Amino acid sequence: MIDLVKEKRERAIVVGVAAKNTTRAQEEEYLQELVLLADTAGADVLHTVLQVKDRFDSAYYIGKGKVEQIAQMCKDDDISLVIFDDDLSPAQVRNLEQTIERKIIDRSGLILDIFASRAKTNEAKTQVELAQLNYMLPRLTRMWTHLSKQYGGIGTKGPGETQIETDRRMIRERIATLKEKLERIATQRSTQRKGRKEFHNISLVGYTNVGKSTLLNTLSDSNVFVENRLFATLDPTTRLVSLDASTQAMLTDTVGFIRKLPHHLVASFKSTLEEVVEADILLHVVDLSHPQMQEQIDVVKSTIHDLGAAHKPVIYVFNKVDAVEDRTIIKNLQATYEPSVFISAHRGINILGFKEMLVTMIHSSFTEMTFTVSNADYRTISQLHDLTEIVSQTYDENDIIIIARVSEKVKERVEKIVRSIK
Ligand SMILES: Nc1nc2c(ncn2[C@@H]2O[C@H](COP(=O)(O)OP(=O)(O)OP(=O)(O)O)[C@@H](O)[C@H]2O)c(=O)[nH]1
Ligand SMILES: [Mg+2]
C-alpha cells in the first residue's frame, strides 16, 4: 500500500446533487464533509459543483451540460480526480469517464481508499481489502483499469494493479480466502473478549472526529492517536480505566461512523464492530460544536441499530463543551437525551461528573449478596475477591461473612461457587 503523506497531492473537484429529499443547504454541508474526506485521502479540492435537480440522471448522475462544464474545468485547472457525493452505478462511472477523461470516484470509493491507506493491523488490512474487492467487482471495466493505470493515486490503491487486471473469478477466489482469514481472526478476538469478561465492557461510539480517542486518552492517561481529520482510528483499542477507588472498566475505542458508510465496509468490519455489540454500556460521543450535530446523532443511532445493539444502555456524552457559547443548547439537549453528560475531553471539563455517572450506571446493575465461607477455604475467598466488589468482611470463630456487590455478568459464576460451598 502506498503512503499518501509522501505522495503528491491530487487536484480534485467534488460534485453533489440536491435531489428531492435533500435541500440545497444540506447538500452544501454534505459536500463540505466530502471536501474533508478528500483532504484526508490526499487531494486538494479546487471546485465544488452542486446541482439542484428533481432526480439523479441515470446515465450521468448530473445533467449532461454540467458534465461538459466539469470536463472543461478539468482541462483548465489541471484536475486529475472528480469525486461524486453519491454512489455511482458502474454505467454512470463509465459514461462520466468517457466524457470527462479523468478519474471518477464516488463517496464509497473515497472512504474505502482512506481506510486502505490508514489500515495498519493485519485484521484491518484484510477487512479493507475484502471491502474493496467487493466494491470493485461490478466496476471492473476496461476503461477503469486503463484510467487507473494512467493516473494512479486515489482510487487505485489497495488490492493492486495485478488483481484489477485478473478476471473476476480470481477476485472471487481472493474474496473467499479473505473471508476465511477474517473468520479465524474473529475467533481469536472472541477468545480475547472472553478473557475480559469479568470487567465491565464499555464502548465509545460516535461520528468520526467527535473526540472518542481523546476521551479514551483522558480517562486512561494513555496516548492513542488523535487527529483533526476524519477516520483517525481504525483498529479497536482497549484500555483498563479506573472510574473510582473500587470500580474499573474496560473501555474500547473504535472506528467512527459517517453518513453513507459503504455497506461493504460495514460488512467487512463486522468483527471490529462486534466490540460494540458485545459491550455492556455504550458511550455515544457527540461533537456539541458541530453544525450537523443532530444528523450525526441520527446516523450513529441508526448504525447502532443496524449492528443489533439498539437495546444496550447508552449514555450520551456531549463533547467539546468548551467550543460552545450558547448554553440554551445544553438545556434543550438535556431534556431530549437521557442520560446525558456535557464534557470537554480535551480540556478535562466535567470528567469527574462523567465518571460518577458511569459508576452509578454500572452499580445499578449490581446485587448485594452475603456469603458465609470457612476461614480455611482460601480458594473460595480469593475467587470472591476476584469476581465481586467486597463491601465488608466480618469474622467469627470459624467463618468469614462477606458482603459483596455482584454484577449481572458474574452472577451465574458466583452462584455456582456458593453452591459448591454448601
Ligand atoms: N475543542 C475541543 N476539541 C476537541 C475536544 N476533544 C477532542 N477534540 C478535537 O477533536 C479532534 C478529533 O479528536 P479525536 O479524538 O481524534 O476524534 P475521534 O472521534 O477519535 O475521531 P476518529 O478516530 O477520526 O473517528 C481532534 O483535533 C481533537 O483535538 C474537546 O473537548 N474540545
Ligand atoms: Mg479516534
Side-chain angles (χ1 to χ4, degrees):
M1 241 157 267
I2 309 157
D3 189 350
L4 273 175
V5 184
K6 293 186 200 105
E7 221 175 85
K8 191 172 156 273
R9 291 179 69 82
E10 295 203 45
R11 296 160 68 85
I13 298 179
V14 298
V15 187
V17 170
K20 48 177 185 302
N21 295 328
T22 321
T23 63
R24 187 183 184 92
Q26 256 173 335
E27 189 56 38
E28 268 165 14
E29 297 279 358
Y30 295 163
L31 287 179
Q32 265 179 30
E33 186 176 83
L34 198 62
V35 171
L36 288 180
L37 282 169
D39 171 62
T40 303
D44 296 323
V45 175
L46 277 86
H47 300 286
T48 300
V49 177
L50 195 164
Q51 186 168 41
V52 182
K53 217 171 178 301
D54 288 343
R55 53 193 184 84
F56 302 110
D57 186 280
S58 60
Y60 289 98
Y61 169 77
I62 43 173
K64 187 74 201 291
K66 271 269 185 277
V67 180
E68 271 149 20
Q69 212 179 312
I70 291 170
Q72 192 55 47
M73 282 168 147
C74 288
K75 288 194 188 98
D76 293 346
D77 287 325
D78 191 23
I79 302 288
S80 58
L81 176 69
V82 186
I83 307 167
F84 290 80
D85 190 41
D86 291 280
D87 281 352
L88 301 172
S89 71
Q92 284 170 331
V93 173
R94 224 175 10 248
N95 295 339
L96 287 165
E97 274 176 349
Q98 262 156 13
T99 316
I100 299 177
E101 296 181 310
R102 293 292 187 277
K103 236 185 332 165
I104 305 294
I105 190 169
D106 59 21
R107 193 182 169 89
S108 290
L110 185 66
I111 293 174
L112 284 170
D113 213 82
I114 293 171
F115 273 62
S117 63
R118 300 218 146 192
K120 292 208 175 60
T121 62
N122 191 13
E123 180 177 22
K125 281 181 184 160
T126 313
Q127 288 170 326
V128 175
E129 185 180 349
L130 179 62
Q132 281 187 311
L133 290 175
N134 274 314
Y135 171 82
M136 263 178 201
L137 201 52
R139 292 173 175 78
L140 275 180
T141 61
R142 274 241 302 286
M143 186 70 180
W144 202 90
T145 317
H146 167 72
L147 280 175
S148 64
K149 249 196 273 173
Q150 191 171 328
Y151 294 104
I154 294 173
T156 59
K157 277 183 301 298
E161 294 286 320
T162 48
Q163 270 136 15
I164 297 166
E165 283 154 17
T166 52
D167 65 77
R168 294 194 175 172
R169 191 176 55 80
M170 280 190 69
I171 291 191
R172 289 211 179 87
E173 276 169 15
R174 179 81 186 138
I175 286 175
T177 315
L178 292 174
K179 278 189 178 153
E180 270 168 38
K181 196 168 156 192
L182 280 178
E183 264 163 40
R184 278 200 302 277
I185 300 175
T187 316
Q188 281 167 12
R189 191 179 274 294
S190 112
T191 317
Q192 281 168 10
R193 251 200 314 266
K194 281 201 191 95
R196 304 202 295 257
K197 235 185 161 130
E198 59 270 33
F199 288 104
H200 291 276
N201 290 320
I202 299 173
S203 264
L204 292 161
V205 291
Y207 211 78
T208 179
N209 211 39
V210 295
K212 300 178 293 298
S213 302
T214 309
L215 183 57
L216 181 76
N217 286 340
T218 302
L219 291 176
S220 66
D221 225 355
S222 52
N223 210 358
V224 173
F225 182 59
V226 167
E227 197 188 18
N228 192 17
R229 277 223 165 122
L230 308 184
F231 298 118
T233 308
L234 282 197
D235 294 303
T237 310
T238 302
R239 294 273 184 278
L240 184 64
V241 172
S242 291
L243 297 171
D244 66 12
S246 61
T247 319
Q248 289 185 315
M250 283 293 193
L251 190 61
T252 300
D253 175 27
T254 184
V255 56
F257 302 153
I258 196 165
R259 68 180 260 278
K260 299 186 194 168
L261 200 58
H263 78 270
H264 289 315
L265 206 56
V266 177
S268 300
F269 270 73
K270 222 169 165 38
S271 74
T272 298
L273 293 168
E274 252 162 35
E275 295 281 342
V276 174
V277 186
E278 295 276 327
D280 304 307
I281 298 173
L282 302 181
L283 299 176
H284 179 163
V285 186
V286 179
D287 179 352
L288 189 56
S289 69
H290 200 284
Q292 296 298 102
M293 171 181 69
Q294 192 57 56
E295 196 189 344
Q296 295 190 345
I297 294 177
D298 295 340
V299 168
V300 174
K301 278 172 96 169
S302 80
T303 313
I304 291 173
H305 184 268
D306 292 348
L307 291 169
H311 59 287
K312 303 264 173 194
V314 177
I315 297 178
Y316 291 92
V317 183
F318 289 94
N319 187 33
K320 309 198 187 180
V321 75
D322 58 299
V324 175
E325 278 175 12
D326 183 4
R327 297 282 127 173
T328 54
I329 298 177
I330 296 181
K331 283 244 157 6
N332 293 338
L333 289 169
Q334 265 167 335
T336 319
Y337 294 99
E338 233 253 313
S340 60
V341 64
F342 295 79
I343 62 158
S344 166
H346 187 62
R347 301 270 192 91
I349 300 170
N350 198 25
I351 298 299
L352 268 180
F354 166 56
K355 282 184 174 177
E356 276 167 20
M357 180 180 232
L358 203 49
V359 169
T360 309
M361 188 176 255
I362 290 173
H363 282 188
S364 68
S365 66
F366 278 52
T367 333
E368 207 160 90
M369 291 172 82
T370 306
F371 311 92
T372 307
V373 189
S374 156
N375 262 331
D377 189 355
Y378 300 120
R379 188 160 170 265
T380 305
I381 295 168
S382 118
Q383 277 178 326
L384 287 175
H385 273 256
D386 285 348
L387 291 173
T388 71
E389 200 184 298
I390 307 291
V391 179
S392 70
Q393 298 194 100
T394 43
Y395 300 82
D396 65 17
E397 215 167 305
N398 301 313
D399 298 325
I400 302 185
I401 296 131
I402 298 176
I403 299 177
R405 280 198 282 262
V406 182
S407 73
E408 278 308 312
K409 288 186 83 92
V410 295
K411 208 163 171 189
E412 228 173 274
R413 278 167 72 187
V414 170
E415 277 164 354
K416 210 166 140 197
I417 294 167
V418 173
R419 276 198 299 276
S420 72
I421 304 175
K422 281 165 189 165

